[in-house]
Amino acid sequence: MRTSRARRAGGADETENGAAGGTVTGGRQWARADATRQALLSAALEVFADRGYADAGIAEIVERSGISVGSLYHHYGGKAGLYVALWEDLSAEQEASAAQAVSAARKDGEADPITLFIAGARAYLRVCWERRDAARLFLGGEGPSGSSLMRRSRAQHWIAQNTKLLRGTGEPAGRAEQVLSLVLTTVIGEAGREIATAESEAEATEIIEEVCRILIRLAR
Amino acid sequence: MRTSRARRAGGADETENGAAGGTVTGGRQWARADATRQALLSAALEVFADRGYADAGIAEIVERSGISVGSLYHHYGGKAGLYVALWEDLSAEQEASAAQAVSAARKDGEADPITLFIAGARAYLRVCWERRDAARLFLGGEGPSGSSLMRRSRAQHWIAQNTKLLRGTGEPAGRAEQVLSLVLTTVIGEAGREIATAESEAEATEIIEEVCRILIRLAR
DNA sequence: GTCTATAGTAAGATAGAC
DNA sequence: GTCTATCTTACTATAGAC
């Protein structure tokens, strides 16, 4: 791959007057920093994907991004910080997409909890395909120590939401319902993994549909 | 915790004649080496569990086991070797237990594929509870780089077996069947995680039974 | 097989100029 | 905010006596 290498060539537009080397206009003055973060993030994603988190070195991320170690630490505080940032990005997008799908369906007059749940699940899975590069990284399960707890706790939260969504009323929830919800959530997660590694959009879609059938069968 | 610390006190029974400091009888001469391996394994399990694989240091394993670094490398070749050994142990036990349960049920005259499958699943889950200390480590998902592939490929193998078991005849298997099998296996895995972190045997049993119900519903 | 002592190395992290 | 240069730590792995 080795994209975005030329970025470092700069040296033409800085030294306006010293410190935060921005351009003249106020609104654009963070553009440079954003580009830096972006370059760091995308290089980190590549390297983590290629070598696995543990074997990835700061050095290689620096090389591929063309950004310096100093900047890396300035923005993300280190290797783990990059990983977490990547994770937050993706899961924010997934959550937003799912939430939006559910509320859109609601606005469409849909009231059946299971149908709403499936709408959310389908949106989530679609993001897994669209952003499969990132999804593969996390669904694969390796990360900084403590990251599995991070993922785990987000999953718990999601399970709780799904449990609530599925029972319509907001009440107790026995063990059976909890386990069911856990199972549903797990299935979606695993499906996401499978979809992120699918070889074509057609295959991904096929899996999504099959999984939705299973989810319906389970939730009913 | 800090058990098995006194082991190192020895120095009384060695120096029989130099090399493999064994006792006189032939059959017992590996007892010492076995004890060494055992101490290393159990210390490693503790440390991995406490700190997570990545943050675990050889040093602490050596401390807690009372065994030297040299011996550690002699037997396991390093940190990753210990992890793998622990994993092989547990999964061998799980597989054996499941296989045995299935064949016992068969011998009992049971022929229904789903019932047989459930028997295996139940046995697997029981081991997750009995050996929850170890199970927690692996089901948590952190390990040496490449270990998730190791787990993954074992899972694939298991899925294939289950697919075969479930369809009775050994034939094709369409996408729908593959996905179903994947889902079943995933659910069992996740259930194992939940069981390994359950707080009492009663809770574990409750989860096992609920999961079996769900599996039956799914497999049918 | 088991131990002690030591080597080697790599990687994450910091300091401070611009 | 960005960069270069450097540090320091800590951990794996080996050598070689018993």
Side-chain angles (χ1 to χ4, degrees):
Chain A
M1 272 293 144
R2 183 64 57 107
T3 62
S4 68
R5 188 58 214 290
R7 206 182 308 271
R8 187 177 169 276
D13 65 352
E14 83 288 50
T15 65
E16 189 72 31
N17 63 3
T23 48
V24 272
T25 47
R28 270 247 272 3
Q29 85 191 109
W30 301 117
R32 180 95 170 280
D34 280 350
T36 298
R37 276 188 284 266
Q38 179 51 38
L40 247 11
L41 247 25
S42 86
L45 178 56
E46 276 180 38
V47 178
F48 290 157
D50 284 4
R51 313 237 175 276
Y53 178 82
D55 289 353
I58 297 265
E60 194 173 355
I61 296 174
V62 165
E63 265 177 43
R64 292 211 208 179
S65 64
I67 304 294
S68 69
V69 213
S71 287
L72 190 161
Y73 276 91
H74 180 69
H75 288 292
Y76 296 104
K79 190 165 90 156
L82 279 167
Y83 181 92
V84 173
L86 248 12
W87 155 258
E88 306 267 69
D89 261 24
L90 178 64
S91 59
E93 187 171 338
Q94 287 169 329
E95 246 171 80
S97 178
Q100 195 208 340
V102 171
S103 82
R106 248 200 201 105
K107 203 182 291 180
D108 254 34
E110 186 56 62
D112 175 43
I114 294 177
T115 308
L116 289 171
F117 168 75
I118 296 289
R122 191 176 263 120
Y124 170 91
L125 293 175
R126 217 156 24 217
V127 175
C128 285
W129 169 250
E130 279 156 15
R131 304 218 33 206
R132 65 207 104 111
D133 49 344
R136 254 178 289 218
L137 180 58
F138 304 112
L139 299 167
E142 317 209 332
S145 76
S147 71
S148 68
L149 284 81
M150 177 181 78
R151 268 178 266 134
R152 190 154 209 69
S153 88
R154 177 144 335 198
Q156 306 271 22
H157 176 245
W158 193 28
I159 292 173
Q161 277 195 313
N162 282 342
T163 311
K164 227 171 51 187
L165 175 58
L166 280 169
R167 64 193 337 265
T169 111
E171 278 318 297
R175 162 93 53 214
E177 271 164 323
Q178 284 174 353
V179 172
L180 174 61
S181 194
L182 167 66
V183 167
L184 291 172
T185 311
T186 303
V187 168
I188 295 174
E190 183 66 22
R193 197 165 310 170
E194 215 63 23
I195 286 161
T197 57
E199 298 196 339
S200 67
E201 181 155 15
E203 187 183 345
T205 308
E206 220 182 314
I207 297 177
I208 291 180
E209 294 314 313
E210 184 57 35
V211 167
C212 286
R213 267 192 289 277
I214 291 182
L215 288 173
I216 291 171
R217 173 141 53 112
L218 263 174
R220 185 167 21 213
Chain B
M1 272 294 145
R2 183 65 55 106
T3 61
S4 67
R5 187 60 213 288
R7 205 182 309 270
R8 186 177 170 276
D13 64 353
E14 83 288 50
T15 65
E16 189 73 30
N17 61 4
T23 47
V24 272
T25 47
R28 272 250 267 6
Q29 84 190 110
W30 300 115
R32 179 93 170 279
D34 279 351
T36 297
R37 276 188 284 266
Q38 179 52 38
L40 283 171
L41 249 24
S42 86
L45 178 56
E46 276 180 37
V47 177
F48 290 157
D50 285 3
R51 311 238 175 275
Y53 179 82
D55 289 353
I58 297 266
E60 193 171 356
I61 296 174
V62 165
E63 265 176 43
R64 292 209 208 180
S65 65
I67 303 295
S68 68
V69 211
S71 286
L72 191 160
Y73 276 91
H74 180 67
H75 288 292
Y76 295 104
K79 190 164 90 154
L82 279 167
Y83 182 92
V84 173
L86 248 13
W87 155 258
E88 306 267 69
D89 260 24
L90 178 64
S91 58
E93 187 170 339
Q94 287 169 329
E95 246 171 80
S97 178
Q100 195 207 340
V102 171
S103 82
R106 248 201 201 105
K107 202 183 291 180
D108 255 34
E110 186 56 65
D112 175 42
I114 294 177
T115 308
L116 290 171
F117 167 74
I118 296 291
R122 191 176 264 121
Y124 171 90
L125 293 175
R126 216 155 26 216
V127 175
C128 285
W129 169 251
E130 279 156 17
R131 304 221 28 207
R132 65 207 102 113
D133 49 343
R136 253 179 289 218
L137 180 58
F138 304 112
L139 299 168
E142 317 209 334
S145 75
S147 71
S148 68
L149 285 80
M150 176 180 80
R151 269 178 266 135
R152 191 153 210 68
S153 89
R154 179 146 334 199
Q156 306 271 21
H157 177 245
W158 193 28
I159 292 174
Q161 276 194 314
N162 282 343
T163 311
K164 226 170 53 187
L165 175 57
L166 280 169
R167 64 194 338 266
T169 110
E171 277 319 297
R175 161 97 49 217
E177 271 164 322
Q178 284 173 354
V179 172
L180 175 60
S181 194
L182 168 66
V183 167
L184 291 172
T185 311
T186 303
V187 168
I188 296 175
E190 184 65 24
R193 198 166 308 169
E194 215 62 23
I195 286 161
T197 58
E199 297 195 339
S200 67
E201 181 154 14
E203 188 184 345
T205 309
E206 222 181 313
I207 297 177
I208 292 180
E209 293 314 315
E210 185 57 36
V211 167
C212 286
R213 266 192 290 279
I214 291 181
L215 288 173
I216 291 171
R217 174 140 53 109
L218 263 176
R220 185 166 24 212

